[in-house]
Amino acid sequence: MATATARPVTLLSTVLLMYPATLLLGSLFSAISPTARHSRDLSGSSPQPASPLAPSLATDLHLSESPVNYFARKNNIFNVYFVKIGWLWTTAAFVSLLIFQPLYSSSRRESSSQQQARFRRTLQAILRYALATTVWYLATQWFFGPAIIDRGFIATGGKCERALEEVGKMTAGQRSPTGLETLFTAATCKAAGGAWRGGHDISGHVLMLVLATGLLAFEAVGASACAPACVSQVGPTADAGRERKASDADSTPVINSNETGGFARTWSLRLVWGVVCLGWWMLFMTAIWFHTWLEKWSGLFIALSAVYAIYILPRRIAPLKDVVGLPGV
Ligand SMILES: CCCCCCCCCCCCCCCC(=O)SCCNC(=O)CCNC(=O)[C@H](O)C(C)(C)COP(=O)(O)O
Ligand SMILES: Nc1ncnc2c1ncn2[C@@H]1O[C@H](COP(=O)(O)O)[C@@H](OP(=O)(O)O)[C@H]1O
């Protein structure tokens, strides 16, 4: 058992390297692509120096207003309907695994110990999802007030520029607006027409996309690895499946439900891998068009640490494994 889990640790850690590789590739593309260079030329009026190491292309260069590339627009359809509600897609894909993968739900007859094992496995999968969700939520949505990303931004000297000016004008002579900046989050700042500038703005896109694709990929690989064994266990449904092959004419309700199960199983995996692939593509786009190197890498660092802690560390630390489990085991 020890060797069975030890080998994948190295393999899985290596697979995680595809994330930094994606950011590197994106930054490289951004540096050498004539289109990206053209974007930088257009932004000559930007207050920020434009280089792959300098603050944000799209965030500061207003690519959403004069986009050269479709994916450099903040309002591109994939950003609006996929990334901006990315955790909803992640949740839907994850839930589809729980419902349709035989690892978690099975129509075959089981002993009570098998049922208990399945129940425990499902709870552990939900716990892994809850841990990843908590990281996402605290980092990007709420952390006893503004999210960690927003707090980090303000702590490193960032502020809501235009909005502060407005508030400053309104309250001139009455009270200092300086303290107000801590009241803002990136979302409220932008909603108030302000510009979120100055500090270290950890990329929420990178953080969420790495966390979501990591979570789904590990869970899908685990569920797929088990699928053949889970489905081919001897049992009434499995027997029916074999009969189905022998005689197509002899369809029974059990056989149909088996077929429906296979269809749902396949499509739930397709949904998961679809979300993972699109997530990776949008990560690549963020790497090319948005943020500074450091902001992308800090987003990556937080997300990869979480993925490592949830999916790889338990392979090394047995008590942790007993609690969160491993996908497919
Ligand atoms: C101390 C203990 C605290 C415990 C906290 C527990 C938190 C549990 C939260 C439970 C929420 C579960 C929600 C699950 C269902 C959903 O997914 S609904 C949410 C749908 N919303 C999204 O998917 C939003 C995703 N978008 C973002 O996160 C951001 O837009 C972004 C991608 C990070 C980018 O942000 P920008 O503003 O564009 O920079
Ligand atoms: N791949 C992508 N496609 C479109 N917009 C992106 C993007 N990656 C980042 N952005 C935009 O860049 C800004 C900073 O993103 P983040 O900090 O989450 O990485 C956000 O702008 P808005 O907040 O104005 O929508 C976000 O929508």
Side-chain angles (χ1 to χ4, degrees), residues 71-150:
F71 285 98
R73 296 184 199 174
K74 289 179 180 181
N75 64 353
N76 81 67
I77 197 167
F78 301 100
N79 193 42
V80 175
Y81 294 107
F82 178 69
V83 187
K84 285 286 188 174
I85 49 166
W87 210 259
L88 203 56
W89 283 103
T90 308
T91 303
F94 174 78
V95 169
S96 82
L97 286 182
L98 290 189
I99 296 175
F100 298 119
Q101 292 305 311
L103 181 65
Y104 301 112
S105 67
S106 175
S107 53
R108 51 190 183 91
R109 228 171 271 156
E110 290 178 321
S111 66
S112 70
S113 69
Q114 282 174 318
Q115 279 175 358
Q116 273 175 13
R118 186 178 299 282
F119 183 66
R120 180 183 160 87
R121 203 184 290 140
T122 307
L123 277 187
Q124 287 175 327
I126 292 172
L127 177 60
R128 291 192 295 272
Y129 164 82
L131 287 172
T133 301
T134 304
V135 172
W136 160 72
Y137 193 76
L138 297 180
T140 69
Q141 309 292 306
W142 174 89
F143 183 70
F144 306 100
I148 289 173
I149 287 184
D150 291 340

Side-chain angles (χ1 to χ4, degrees), residues 179-244:
L180 284 172
E181 64 199 55
T182 53
L183 295 176
F184 289 112
T185 65
T188 56
C189 172
K190 284 165 193 168
W196 198 232
R197 291 241 170 83
H200 178 78
D201 185 17
I202 298 172
S203 171
H205 272 55
V206 170
L207 193 154
M208 194 201 70
L209 290 170
V210 171
L211 192 56
T213 55
L215 160 84
L216 290 177
F218 273 103
E219 294 296 342
V221 168
S224 307
C226 168
C230 295
V231 179
S232 66
Q233 298 278 344
V234 177
T237 321
D239 289 340
R242 264 181 239 124
E243 278 169 28
R244 169 80 176 79

Side-chain angles (χ1 to χ4, degrees), residues 163-306:
L164 271 181
E165 279 167 26
E166 294 302 314
V167 177
K169 276 182 215 154
M170 287 184 340
T171 58
Q174 291 165 26
R175 60 192 169 107
S176 162
T178 3
L180 284 172
E181 64 199 55
T182 53
L183 295 176
F184 289 112
T185 65
T188 56
C189 172
K190 284 165 193 168
W196 198 232
R197 291 241 170 83
H200 178 78
D201 185 17
I202 298 172
S203 171
H205 272 55
V206 170
L207 193 154
M208 194 201 70
L209 290 170
V210 171
L211 192 56
T213 55
L215 160 84
L216 290 177
F218 273 103
E219 294 296 342
V221 168
S224 307
C226 168
C230 295
V231 179
S232 66
Q233 298 278 344
V234 177
T237 321
D239 289 340
R242 264 181 239 124
E243 278 169 28
R244 169 80 176 79
K245 274 191 191 128
S247 162
D248 277 0
D250 281 352
S251 300
T252 69
V254 177
I255 291 165
N256 283 338
S257 98
N258 202 30
E259 271 182 0
T260 314
F263 179 82
R265 210 158 47 234
T266 306
W267 277 98
S268 79
L269 280 176
R270 283 183 187 164
L271 171 67
V272 169
W273 286 115
V275 172
V276 171
C277 290
L278 191 52
W280 176 83
W281 176 254
M282 292 308 283
L283 177 69
F284 186 43
M285 292 302 107
T286 302
I288 295 176
W289 300 109
F290 299 89
H291 282 284
T292 67
W293 265 70
L294 213 54
E295 289 168 348
K296 284 181 275 199
W297 286 88
S298 50
L300 176 74
F301 177 77
I302 296 174
L304 271 191
S305 305

